[in-house]
Amino acid sequence: NHRDIILDPAITQVVLYRNGLQTTEIAVGSNLLSNKYVEYLIRSNRMIKVIRGINARQLYLSSQVLSKYIRNGITSGKSSIWIAQREGRTKNGIDTTEQGLLKMLDMSGTKDFVSNFEELNIVPLSISYEYEPCDIMKARELLISRTQKYVKGPQEDLISIMTGINQQKGNIHLNIGAPLTHEEIVEASYCNKNDRYQAIRHAVDDRVIEGYRLWKNNYIAYDMVNHSYKYSDLYTPEDVEKFTNYVEQQLDKVEKSLNRSDLRDIFLKIYGNPVLSKEQLMEEKQQEEDAKAAGEEVHIFMNITSIQRDMKIKFSNEATGKLFSGVEFEVNIKNSSGGELNKKDDDKDGVIYLTGMKSGKYTVTLVSPLQYEDYVLSSDPVIITVKEDIEYKKVDVANEIKSESQVN
């Protein structure tokens, strides 16, 4: 995750160094290098410059070069790479991985999807600060962005860098998570197109949220935003007074013309949202555990797709959207001419995949649905058209292109 421009990667390097491990190279946006002293500082720590503020074609070519450099550095054993999960810092307290980043990493792969991501050995890191770096600057930007396009000042990036370094941050915690597993990447590979990257993103985000350390300020802010005392046993009235005074002092630092109530709400959510993210992750895991413990009926849905003379049949848990493994599902596949065959999920991974099929319409039916009495499945036949050629469609990505002012 990315909370401070300089300190996130810098603290990571310190931790690695103190533990006798090789430091990483650091991916840094070119928009942050307007000041030569900042550039010298970052270059001395093995900087990789990520070009920003260029047109779509230049961005594509630059991304290819960056992807190849990163993959070569890792697979050759030359160096690990520190790279943020998104363009720019998290400003609202919610850490999420951008799909575009994962697509960039995959661009240089020369093998299948699973091999391409496995060899990158992705290790999610979570850094959390007791006092969020540049908290009031982030809140101000988010408030202004509600009513107009936010335009950075000429020295704003430099000010953010220096404020992040100089501002008191209290306790700082860095968690180094477990690498993505073979099973997680394989499960993602069974998804279609962009869904594959979404599955990887979900796995990374879960690790980041799970490893994020919450402080008293986070619990206080959460309760203040929600007008509750849910976490009041984790802090004292003195803690509340101290944090409240800090909030008001920070709000005093920006122009008085801004709506103070709205600014305060945004500011508090920067601190409170990490608690919400933790709650949502814990709730998701608890639901899965409760369903298993109670022996509740599990609803399974069968999804069938075709790209080019193939058929992919996936069995997924309707509640979680994840592939359902451990069961040897069997289907009957019948073509329009009356020819048919039965196919089993022999390896019980939740996927039946057929290639080299003739184009045309097929009817797929679950064989002996009664044998799956522990689960709820539809016995209705599904009609799928196997395509002769890949279909290409124009996609409008205009709303996905970011200006430099929207980054960092």
Side-chain angles (χ1 to χ4, degrees):
N1 65 341
H2 192 26
R3 297 303 185 102
D4 184 78
I5 295 171
I6 295 292
L7 292 183
D8 293 352
I11 290 170
T12 302
Q13 309 313 309
V14 169
V15 170
L16 293 173
Y17 177 77
R18 286 178 177 174
N19 286 275
L21 298 171
Q22 182 185 0
T23 57
T24 76
E25 294 183 74
I26 303 169
V28 179
S30 59
N31 58 302
L32 301 175
L33 306 176
S34 57
N35 181 279
K36 65 178 182 179
Y37 297 109
V38 171
E39 182 171 359
Y40 293 159
L41 171 66
I42 302 175
R43 280 193 182 280
S44 69
N45 285 278
R46 305 170 68 198
M47 179 192 76
I48 304 170
K49 184 161 68 173
V50 180
I51 307 298
R52 296 226 176 109
I54 50 180
N55 63 43
R57 175 167 174 75
Q58 291 172 324
L59 178 61
Y60 176 77
L61 296 175
S62 177
S63 296
Q64 280 188 319
V65 173
L66 178 62
S67 181
K68 288 178 181 177
Y69 183 86
I70 290 173
R71 186 174 298 275
N72 181 66
I74 294 169
T75 57
S76 67
K78 174 190 171 188
S79 177
S80 293
I81 312 291
W82 182 96
I83 188 167
Q85 67 178 155
R86 49 173 291 153
E87 286 189 28
R89 295 159 295 160
T90 298
K91 295 188 175 74
N92 60 2
I94 300 175
D95 295 311
T96 53
T97 304
E98 284 189 345
Q99 181 173 295
L101 170 67
L102 299 172
K103 286 184 174 180
M104 180 277 291
L105 292 174
D106 195 30
M107 288 174 76
S108 56
T110 58
K111 305 170 186 175
D112 60 274
F113 181 86
V114 174
S115 299
N116 287 344
F117 272 99
E118 270 197 315
E119 68 181 12
L120 290 175
N121 192 40
I122 296 174
V123 181
L125 305 180
S126 306
I127 192 164
S128 59
Y129 299 84
E130 187 177 9
Y131 290 92
E132 180 80 5
C134 303
D135 47 14
I136 189 58
M137 297 172 69
K138 293 176 181 178
R140 175 183 178 274
E141 179 179 336
L142 290 174
L143 178 59
I144 293 174
S145 297
R146 285 181 175 181
T147 56
Q148 64 188 68
K149 182 179 178 180
Y150 184 79
V151 180
K152 288 183 181 180
Q155 295 295 317
E156 190 162 336
D157 284 331
L158 178 60
I159 294 170
S160 293
I161 288 171
M162 299 311 299
T163 302
I165 293 173
N166 291 320
Q167 176 188 336
Q168 179 56 247
K169 286 161 286 291
N171 291 297
I172 302 172
H173 181 262
L174 176 68
N175 181 78
I176 300 177
L180 296 193
T181 65
H182 172 75
E183 291 72 23
E184 287 172 317
I185 299 172
V186 168
E187 184 173 335
S189 72
Y190 291 137
C191 299
N192 295 315
K193 298 178 181 177
N194 290 336
D195 289 343
R196 297 181 301 176
Y197 301 106
Q198 287 294 335
I200 296 290
R201 179 194 64 78
H202 185 71
V204 172
D205 288 352
D206 280 1
R207 296 277 210 294
V208 169
I209 294 168
E210 203 165 32
Y212 190 93
R213 171 71 64 87
L214 296 174
W215 310 100
K216 289 181 181 180
N217 291 346
N218 299 116
Y219 294 115
I220 295 170
Y222 176 95
D223 280 347
M224 291 176 74
V225 168
N226 293 283
H227 307 288
S228 72
Y229 298 94
K230 187 174 183 178
Y231 295 103
S232 59
D233 60 322
L234 299 177
Y235 53 82
T236 66
E238 290 75 23
D239 294 325
V240 176
E241 183 180 5
K242 179 182 177 183
F243 181 66
T244 302
N245 290 337
Y246 171 77
V247 172
E248 297 306 317
Q249 288 170 8
Q250 293 297 92
L251 298 183
D252 286 340
K253 293 180 179 180
V254 298
E255 53 266 48
K256 305 299 181 186
S257 58
L258 295 176
N259 185 301
R260 194 176 180 94
S261 176
D262 290 345
L263 185 65
R264 182 184 295 105
D265 183 66
I266 293 172
F267 188 94
L268 290 174
K269 285 179 179 177
I270 291 174
Y271 284 90
N273 279 337
V275 180
L276 181 62
S277 296
K278 284 268 194 184
E279 285 185 339
Q280 292 171 343
L281 179 60
M282 291 172 64
E283 184 179 349
E284 180 183 317
K285 291 189 174 183
Q286 190 62 51
Q287 286 176 349
E288 293 179 7
E289 291 176 7
D290 290 346
K292 289 179 182 177
E296 293 180 2
E297 290 182 330
V298 178
H299 290 251
I300 308 296
F301 70 93
M302 181 172 67
N303 182 50
I304 310 174
T305 57
S306 174
I307 296 177
Q308 184 181 33
R309 295 190 291 278
D310 68 341
M311 183 185 296
K312 183 180 287 186
I313 306 167
K314 297 192 299 182
F315 298 91
S316 302
N317 185 321
E318 193 170 314
T320 66
K322 296 180 179 180
L323 287 173
F324 194 84
S325 57
V327 177
E328 189 179 58
F329 294 106
E330 183 178 3
V331 295
N332 173 264
I333 304 171
K334 186 180 294 183
N335 63 25
S336 56
S337 303
E340 61 181 295
L341 65 93
N342 282 14
K343 192 72 177 175
K344 292 182 178 181
D345 180 11
D346 297 317
D347 56 5
K348 301 181 183 181
D349 64 352
V351 178
I352 298 173
Y353 186 54
L354 301 91
T355 58
M357 301 185 70
K358 292 182 178 180
S359 60
K361 289 189 176 181
Y362 290 79
T363 301
V364 181
T365 310
L366 192 67
V367 174
S368 303
L370 291 177
Q371 67 175 302
Y372 311 116
E373 58 184 13
D374 293 336
Y375 315 106
V376 180
L377 296 97
S378 173
S379 58
D380 296 336
V382 177
I383 298 175
I384 177 73
T385 299
V386 172
K387 302 167 185 176
E388 179 68 25
D389 298 302
I390 298 174
E391 290 185 357
Y392 293 93
K393 296 180 180 179
K394 289 184 177 180
V395 179
D396 183 7
V397 296
N399 62 347
E400 297 181 32
I401 299 174
K402 294 184 177 182
S403 64
E404 189 169 320
S405 64
Q406 296 173 290
V407 177
N408 284 300

